[in-house]
Amino acid sequence: MTAAEAPTEPATFESLDPRTGDVVGTHPVHDAAAVEAAVARAAQAAQWWADLGFAERRRRLGEWRKVLVRKLDDLAHVVADETGKPLDDARLELVLAVDHLDWAAKHAEKVLRRRKVSSGLLMGNQAASLAYVPIGVVGVIGPWNYPVFTPMGSIAYALAAGNAVVFKPSELTPGVGVALADSLAEIVDGRPLFQVVTGFGETGAALCRAPGVGKIAFTGSTVTGKRVMATCAESLTPVLIECGGKDPLIVDADADLEAAADAAVWGGMSNAGQTCVGVERVYVVDTVADEFVARVTAKASRLRAGSTGDFGPMTMPAQADVVRRHVEDALARGGRAVVGGAESVRPPFVEPVVIVDVPEDSAAVTEETFGPLLVVNRVPDVDEAVRRANATGYGLGATVFAKARGEEIAARLRCGMVAINGIISFAGIPALPFGGVGDSGFGRIHGEDGLREFTRPQAVARQRFALPIPVTSFARTAGGMRALVGIIRFRHGR
Ligand code: NDP
């Protein structure tokens, strides 16, 4: 359900189809009071949801999964209308989100339920146990590039872990957020378990400040991520920060070049390059570079941006300027365009651009482009590829194409996730945690870590019998302490 009305009639804003500029929806700008009211309602729903227990939550989330599958095409249309992406790309997002929801619902109990842990020799008189209990209300702030898949990485896992969610979608994709929340309403008897607040950055900031929010899960740019963290610092609200990346793809000399080229082009161009784990830089070993570039050139030149093209427009209009600046800078510094060029930027669309031999200090190599621009640089060997891949503040995902040394190369990369001989495969595997290091943020969605991220560990030690030598009492004796130190010397001092 959407947040109920604020005391006064809220201002509204329009959501547009970026392909045409047509208005596809009108949404309220929720102010701080409306956000706080939503969080207060969520707190009550959170208690009800937590009290249901794992089995009933799993059952209800299973029902939600079926609703999402039933409405898959309707939701895909909302996604396509607000992002401009091809309908099949929207369907793919939904398919992946449903699979993650299923995994989170089915694994929550096993991962989070109270379990016994060893109490150790010294504390052998205690029974120790650990449970991961819900936080209460989780605030999710989402981006526009994958308006279902990305926030669902937080929403599905937070709900499965027993929390309520207040979701602030991007101002570019509010309708997707509302449609998602509406789809859950029927399986929670209309309770405000998953609410949406809409508006601009201020609404997101109000969610960070709202009393009662136990954690904020943010996905978006590094700059905004830092702002979110600063706001949350005021109330010591913990944050999970998923920011952008500058993901590299490494091609070793023994790689399947056809598969590597296909992956580079899909990883760089699909969704018009607006993918946080999209391929932005390719490092290809010299001996196979010519053949690899020829294959990439052939594949990328066949692609077209457009309303009915292989990929859609820049969802955020200002992004076209970023892509143009990166292309012009790369060319001015000596890069050579093998597909497209500065003229490929025709807002709202950007045709594929592939530039080779781009200096490593140019914007197209150091900054997130978030557009259909692929930089391909040749390197003498894999060691140099790894060095360059790691020479950025970002560290989200990476791809390696290699036959013999794939896993060895992967282990040397400073990032959260690596796909070997595949593309973005880690994101589709629900058991694998998703997240980055450095400027790409911290914390994890997906997998067991993603479930635990939306809980707090609760440790319990229950005394089973009193120790013969009391040491945590004013009644302790010098002899008792000598005996204890003797035990420790015997056990740990040799
Ligand atoms: P932002 O990081 O600015 O926005 C992400 C989310 O944060 C949106 O819901 C936004 O709301 C919200 N927000 C904005 N300001 C605040 C604030 N002060 N406090 C709390 N929430 C806030 O991304 P943009 O949409 O502006 O995109 C900018 C760049 O970020 C892109 O060009 C791209 O490089 C990168 N990006 C990376 C993504 C990723 O997946 N890692 C996803 C999206 C963008 P609102 O939309 O209403 O402003």
Side-chain angles (χ1 to χ4, degrees):
M1 65 164 58
T2 54
E5 306 110 47
T8 51
E9 198 58 33
T12 58
F13 69 106
E14 290 173 338
S15 126
L16 308 177
D17 182 330
R19 296 167 292 201
T20 57
D22 292 348
V23 175
V24 293
T26 303
H27 299 270
V29 178
H30 287 115
D31 62 9
V35 172
E36 285 173 23
V39 172
R41 284 192 298 275
Q44 291 191 355
Q47 191 58 56
W48 164 78
W49 184 240
D51 290 346
L52 286 183
F54 286 110
E56 179 61 10
R57 288 200 297 266
R58 173 179 170 165
R59 189 190 71 73
R60 290 183 186 237
L61 291 175
E63 292 301 314
W64 188 29
R65 188 194 67 223
K66 289 184 211 160
V67 173
L68 287 174
V69 172
R70 210 168 57 234
K71 295 189 169 175
L72 197 140
D73 264 346
D74 294 346
L75 287 163
H77 273 101
V78 182
V79 172
D81 284 351
E82 287 195 326
T83 62
K85 68 175 67 176
L87 204 50
D88 273 344
D89 283 359
R91 288 192 181 103
L92 184 58
E93 268 202 66
L94 276 148
V95 164
L96 291 175
V98 163
D99 205 39
H100 274 276
L101 171 61
D102 181 55
W103 191 92
K106 286 184 176 151
H107 286 78
E109 179 164 14
K110 180 168 158 267
V111 176
L112 306 175
R113 72 175 165 218
R114 185 163 292 282
R115 62 188 164 90
K116 287 185 186 152
V117 297
S118 165
S119 49
L121 179 72
L122 272 189
M123 304 295 282
N125 65 324
Q126 306 283 330
S129 71
L130 169 64
Y132 293 88
V133 301
I135 291 170
V137 180
V138 172
V140 176
I141 299 177
W144 41 263
N145 54 340
Y146 291 89
V148 171
F149 180 63
T150 298
M152 279 292 278
S154 295
I155 295 164
Y157 287 75
L159 290 173
N163 304 282
V165 169
V166 178
F167 174 36
K168 155 66 179 72
S170 163
E171 72 198 55
L172 302 177
T173 53
V176 177
V178 171
L180 265 183
D182 283 350
S183 72
L184 179 90
E186 65 188 72
I187 63 108
V188 292
D189 318 321
R191 283 189 173 81
L193 183 70
F194 172 18
Q195 299 170 84
V196 169
V197 290
T198 50
F200 304 99
E202 239 343 280
T203 305
L207 184 56
C208 298
R209 286 198 191 96
V213 170
K215 184 158 195 167
I216 288 286
F218 167 84
T219 307
S221 64
T222 305
V223 171
T224 306
K226 288 177 182 172
R227 266 187 222 132
V228 163
M229 206 171 157
T231 308
C232 288
E234 292 165 20
S235 53
L236 223 55
T237 302
V239 288
L240 180 161
I241 303 281
E242 298 287 348
C243 297
K246 193 71 196 171
D247 287 8
L249 182 151
I250 292 176
V251 186
D252 200 357
D254 65 351
D256 175 340
L257 295 183
E258 179 61 15
D262 198 60
V265 172
W266 170 268
M269 310 291 171
S270 62
N271 205 29
Q274 303 165 115
T275 304
C276 54
V277 285
V279 175
E280 299 225 349
R281 307 173 285 156
V282 179
Y283 296 112
V284 52
V285 169
D286 209 17
T287 49
V288 293
D290 288 341
E291 190 183 339
F292 175 77
V293 169
R295 288 177 192 252
V296 166
T297 304
K299 289 177 190 298
S301 348
R302 283 199 290 271
L303 300 180
R304 284 290 158 264
S307 295
T308 54
D310 299 290
F311 55 81
M314 297 285 93
T315 302
M316 187 170 72
Q319 200 66 32
D321 297 333
V322 176
V323 183
R324 184 187 294 109
R325 178 168 63 78
H326 287 192
V327 170
E328 287 176 350
D329 178 65
L331 296 177
R333 286 160 173 267
R336 188 166 51 86
V338 292
V339 178
E343 71 286 357
S344 304
V345 182
R346 307 181 285 103
F349 298 100
V350 179
E351 297 292 352
V353 184
V354 181
I355 310 182
V356 298
D357 304 330
V358 180
E360 290 288 313
D361 61 351
S362 55
V365 177
T366 59
E367 296 173 23
E368 185 175 41
T369 305
F370 232 56
L373 163 63
L374 204 54
V375 165
V376 183
N377 282 348
R378 57 182 72 215
V379 286
D381 52 33
V382 153
D383 290 344
E384 179 62 9
V386 169
R387 193 189 66 73
R388 293 196 198 184
N390 288 341
T392 149
Y394 289 113
L396 194 56
T399 310
V400 177
F401 271 83
K403 285 206 180 83
R405 299 172 63 191
E407 303 212 342
E408 178 211 320
I409 298 166
R412 293 164 63 193
L413 293 169
R414 176 187 166 274
C415 62
M417 299 134 327
V418 186
I420 302 174
N421 298 334
I423 185 71
I424 318 181
S425 39
F426 44 74
I429 299 173
L432 284 179
F434 183 103
V437 299
D439 288 346
S440 295
F442 54 85
R444 293 293 181 265
I445 55 173
H446 302 174
E448 295 190 3
D449 298 86
L451 282 167
R452 290 197 192 100
E453 194 76 49
F454 298 106
T455 62
R456 62 185 162 82
Q458 196 204 36
V460 173
R462 178 177 55 80
Q463 180 155 308
R464 295 186 295 158
F465 55 86
L467 278 180
I469 313 170
V471 288
T472 54
S473 161
F474 289 111
R476 78 182 171 200
T477 62
M481 280 309 293
R482 269 199 305 280
L484 177 67
V485 171
I487 292 170
I488 283 299
R489 284 212 171 102
F490 177 74
R491 186 161 167 76
H492 295 304
R494 294 178 302 152

